[in-house]
């Protein structure tokens, strides 16, 4: 199970975000491990031909880039998690989400995160 969770808004309207990977009874990866890295997430809007687009949320941890993505267009709906070694062109793995399991909230929850320069310039990495 992969989750990108937002805390309730503080009195100043700020939220903290946390990435979780694993089963509810056994979380294998939590990021960030402290609130000091909370600003390290990126949000890149994906645009493809034929009215197809989506979003890619990414962060880097211990030499790997984790990319949660969602793409939708005419006859296409795909989402998943790409894991890429930093500095590599291709992703090491692509875990596809079950379509019915994807729950998205509007961008109103997301602060003004910067775009990931690599994803913005080249799109999502392939697994080859």
């Amino acid at each position: 199970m992969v989750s990108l969770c937002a805390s309730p808004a503080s009195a100043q309207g700020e939220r903290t975000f946390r990435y979780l990977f694993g089963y509810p009874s056994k979380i294998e990866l939590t990021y960030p491990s402290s609130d000091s890295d909370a600003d390290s997430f990126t949000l890149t809007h994906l645009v493809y031909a034929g009215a197809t687009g989506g979003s890619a949320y990414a962060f880097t941890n211990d030499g790997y880039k984790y990319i949660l993505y969602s793409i939708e267009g005419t006859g296409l709906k795909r989402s998943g998690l790409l894991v890429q070694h930093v500095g590599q062109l291709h992703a090491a793995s692509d875990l596809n989400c079950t379509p019915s399991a994807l729950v998205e909230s509007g961008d109103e929850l997301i602060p003004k995160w910067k775009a990931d320069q690599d994803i913005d310039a080249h799109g999502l990495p392939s697994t080859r």
Side-chain angles (χ1 to χ4, degrees):
M1 183 177 287
V2 176
S3 300
L4 180 60
C5 304
S7 70
S10 68
Q12 295 80 22
E14 297 174 3
R15 297 177 185 274
T16 57
F17 291 83
R18 188 94 54 225
Y19 165 91
L20 302 163
F21 179 86
Y23 294 98
S25 61
K26 184 180 179 198
I27 302 298
E28 296 178 33
L29 176 62
T30 300
Y31 184 86
S33 57
S34 70
D35 288 338
S36 64
D37 292 326
D39 292 335
S40 59
F41 290 100
T42 62
L43 168 59
T44 308
H45 295 285
L46 306 170
V47 179
Y48 300 99
T52 301
S55 301
Y57 303 90
F59 67 92
T60 301
N61 184 46
D62 289 336
Y64 290 91
K65 182 185 291 187
Y66 296 81
I67 306 166
L68 291 163
Y69 67 92
S70 175
I71 302 167
E72 192 168 348
T74 306
L76 173 70
K77 189 169 188 173
R78 184 171 174 177
S79 58
L81 170 67
L82 292 163
V83 180
Q84 179 183 32
H85 290 275
V86 172
Q88 298 293 311
L89 294 176
H90 300 286
S93 64
D94 183 0
L95 306 171
N96 292 313
C97 291
T98 305
S100 63
L102 178 67
V103 178
E104 291 188 79
S105 297
D107 284 345
E108 71 275 359
L109 287 180
I110 306 297
K112 300 296 181 202
W113 288 346
K114 63 183 177 182
D116 182 286
Q117 293 179 356
D118 289 336
I119 297 171
D120 202 29
H122 307 289
L124 295 174
S126 67
T127 53
R128 293 200 187 218

